[in-house]
Amino acid sequence: MKRYDVLIVGRGIAGNTLALTLLSKGLNIQVVDLPKPNSPSRLAAGLYNPFTGKRTVKTWMAAEIFPFLETFYQSIEKKTGASFLHIKPAYRPFLSIQDYNEWTGSGNEENSSFFLNPEPNHEHYRPWIRNPFGGIEYKHSGYVDTVTYLDAGEKLLQENDCLRKDFFRHSDVEETEEGIQWGDALYRYIVFCEGAQAFSNPFFPKVPIVANKGEILTLRIPDLPLVEIITQGAFLIQKEPGIFHAGSTYRWVFKGEEPEERGAQEIKDKLNKWLNVSYEQLNLQAGVRPASKDRRPLMGFLNQRPRFLIFNGLGTKGVSLAPYWAEELSQLIIHQKDLPEEVDIRRFYLN
Ligand SMILES: Cc1cc2nc3c(=O)[nH]c(=O)nc-3n(C[C@H](O)[C@H](O)[C@H](O)COP(=O)(O)OP(=O)(O)OC[C@H]3O[C@@H](n4cnc5c(N)ncnc54)[C@H](O)[C@@H]3O)c2cc1C
């Protein structure tokens, strides 16, 4: 019987990032994944941005997570020859005096020099973006072209004979004293990276994942030459000259996974508050994000099943969270280093 260190189930941003992390550390892994056409990891805009939310606050653990993600994606670019990390300033215009006052009174500016351009050039944006009260410009922001990233990962895993494109049935797994048997192979650990499909995972019953539907638009904006990201309620990212991604919506209650026109309208209403040029809608897509109840990743194992692990709950921030937390999970797998309590899945279970 063949023996492996780890079997990874699911290869969205979470599974792909964990697989590449473990591979780089010399672990003997296998990945099984059956991609969905509207996989959120493939349709994501890939934006990472150190400040988020209506009140524009620094995101959780930004100082650790953001430098780490750039180094990680660059290392995979180097290994694969692919190009998917686009480090770009992100500009957030102030649309009202309240907006400006909230920011200047927040104290964010004083302790964030690593992430903020001290002197953004507001005039640079003014021909196309309404910014009557100026704005702020982030550094260490950008986007990952997630399709190219996932395709590069696929190639690397195939070269290492690690990838199987197949549906994984939980009932095919058998727990033995020596490890986990799946087919004709034995694994020390199995890590579930199933995204929102984790609801039916019997090893993590009632997994505290909250499905969150999101729409994203592709727009043609021939008169907008900006390569910087604009973010104010909605974001706008140039993917190629004249073609942009705009998003996203966040819906906790929804019926199906199909894109809804009201989602497109919601995004356009937000853009229309600050975008001064006309645009044409080319495409509307929707996917379901795997969020968690407390907006923190869901990771690790349950006490009664230490060979069964989970890596999920990345919510709206898969691109920024995955590299740092895949590294932490690899430390748990290789060195039994405990995870911080706030990401440990056991916070939701009474063991
Ligand atoms: C509209 C929209 C825009 C977004 N924009 C951004 C953004 O700009 N920046 C950002 O960071 N994040 C963004 N996100 C969020 C991001 O997409 C998620 O955080 C991320 O995709 C989660 O990745 P995942 O690997 O956990 O899940 P998924 O992408 O769902 O991957 C899970 C994989 O596992 C496979 N799988 C599951 N069960 C099985 C099984 N039994 N057998 C075989 N395969 C299985 C699935 O088919 C899939 O391939 C966006 C999401 C949406 C919907």
Side-chain angles (χ1 to χ4, degrees):
M1 188 174 297
K2 285 180 239 157
R3 285 173 184 266
Y4 296 93
D5 294 311
V6 181
L7 172 64
I8 295 174
V9 179
R11 197 182 65 86
I13 293 169
N16 196 54
T17 305
L18 181 65
L20 299 180
T21 300
L22 296 178
L23 202 60
S24 74
K25 292 175 188 294
L27 268 71
N28 197 0
I29 64 164
Q30 287 285 292
V31 182
V32 54
D33 176 72
L34 193 65
K36 272 176 74 177
N38 67 338
S39 151
S41 292
R42 288 195 161 259
L43 60 83
L47 174 66
Y48 64 94
N49 179 0
F51 287 83
T52 49
K54 266 194 191 136
R55 292 176 54 240
T56 313
V57 288
K58 209 191 288 172
T59 80
W60 173 63
M61 290 187 64
E64 292 81 11
I65 284 169
F66 280 73
F68 194 92
L69 78 90
E70 290 181 353
T71 309
F72 171 82
Y73 289 120
Q74 280 164 341
S75 77
I76 304 300
E77 284 186 325
K78 212 166 156 197
K79 258 182 216 158
T80 58
S83 166
F84 46 78
L85 175 68
H86 303 275
I87 301 174
K88 306 257 180 223
Y91 184 69
R92 182 203 186 282
F94 295 133
L95 299 183
S96 67
I97 191 73
Q98 290 93 321
D99 212 10
Y100 169 83
N101 285 340
E102 265 179 34
W103 171 258
T104 48
S106 66
N108 267 320
E109 211 165 1
E110 291 87 68
N111 56 35
S112 301
S113 57
F114 181 73
F115 289 116
L116 291 172
N117 178 351
E119 290 181 6
N121 179 359
H122 306 298
E123 292 305 321
H124 169 71
Y125 297 98
R126 207 148 273 161
W128 309 282
I129 308 297
R130 233 163 276 146
N131 58 354
F133 300 93
I136 41 179
E137 196 178 67
Y138 311 128
K139 301 184 279 184
H140 295 283
S141 49
Y143 73 92
V144 167
D145 176 340
T146 57
V147 172
T148 307
Y149 168 56
L150 291 169
D151 289 351
E154 175 170 336
K155 197 163 160 262
L156 200 61
L157 293 172
Q158 273 169 342
E159 281 165 11
N160 286 277
D161 204 14
C162 295
L163 183 61
R164 204 162 128 182
K165 286 191 184 181
D166 211 347
F167 186 73
F168 174 88
R169 281 200 311 261
H170 301 87
S171 54
D172 289 346
V173 155
E174 200 180 323
E175 207 175 353
T176 73
E177 271 186 16
E178 283 182 277
I180 295 154
Q181 194 176 334
W182 182 61
D184 59 354
L186 200 64
Y187 300 84
R188 282 172 55 217
Y189 298 103
I190 179 167
V191 188
F192 294 99
C193 307
E194 302 159 294
Q197 286 161 262
F199 287 113
S200 53
N201 187 320
F203 306 112
F204 292 87
K206 297 190 189 145
V207 65
I209 283 181
V210 197
N212 179 275
K213 181 175 171 181
E215 274 105 1
I216 184 167
L217 285 170
T218 308
L219 302 175
R220 192 197 312 278
I221 321 182
D223 299 329
L224 185 64
L226 287 178
V227 294
E228 294 85 354
I229 294 161
I230 313 294
T231 169
Q232 163 57 272
F235 61 76
L236 196 59
I237 302 176
Q238 192 194 71
K239 289 286 165 165
E240 55 184 272
I243 304 295
F244 292 77
H245 271 168
S248 313
T249 56
Y250 306 90
R251 220 182 297 288
W252 299 105
V253 181
F254 56 90
K255 282 207 177 109
E257 294 191 11
E258 306 72 37
E260 297 173 60
E261 241 353 278
R262 65 173 172 150
Q265 196 52 53
E266 228 177 89
I267 299 168
K268 288 178 194 172
D269 289 345
K270 287 180 178 162
L271 290 182
N272 293 344
K273 288 186 182 160
W274 45 264
L275 185 60
N276 268 336
V277 284
S278 54
Y279 51 81
E280 176 197 351
Q281 178 177 326
L282 297 181
N283 197 10
L284 172 65
Q285 290 170 285
V288 178
R289 306 174 182 95
S292 70
K293 285 183 181 156
D294 57 4
R295 311 285 178 274
R296 296 286 178 261
L298 298 166
M299 299 166 53
F301 55 83
L302 303 181
N303 287 349
Q304 63 272 30
R305 280 225 164 87
R307 291 186 189 276
F308 290 74
L309 293 97
I310 190 165
F311 185 29
N312 209 321
L314 301 185
T316 58
K317 299 194 174 83
V319 160
S320 48
L321 295 174
Y324 182 87
W325 291 110
E327 172 64 28
E328 289 290 304
L329 196 56
S330 78
Q331 295 297 326
L332 172 68
I333 290 170
I334 301 167
H335 302 297
Q336 289 74 53
K337 180 177 170 245
D338 282 341
L339 293 168
E341 239 170 69
E342 56 188 328
V343 300
D344 195 323
I345 182 84
R346 290 179 293 187
R347 70 194 184 278
F348 286 105
Y349 290 88
L350 291 173
N351 285 289

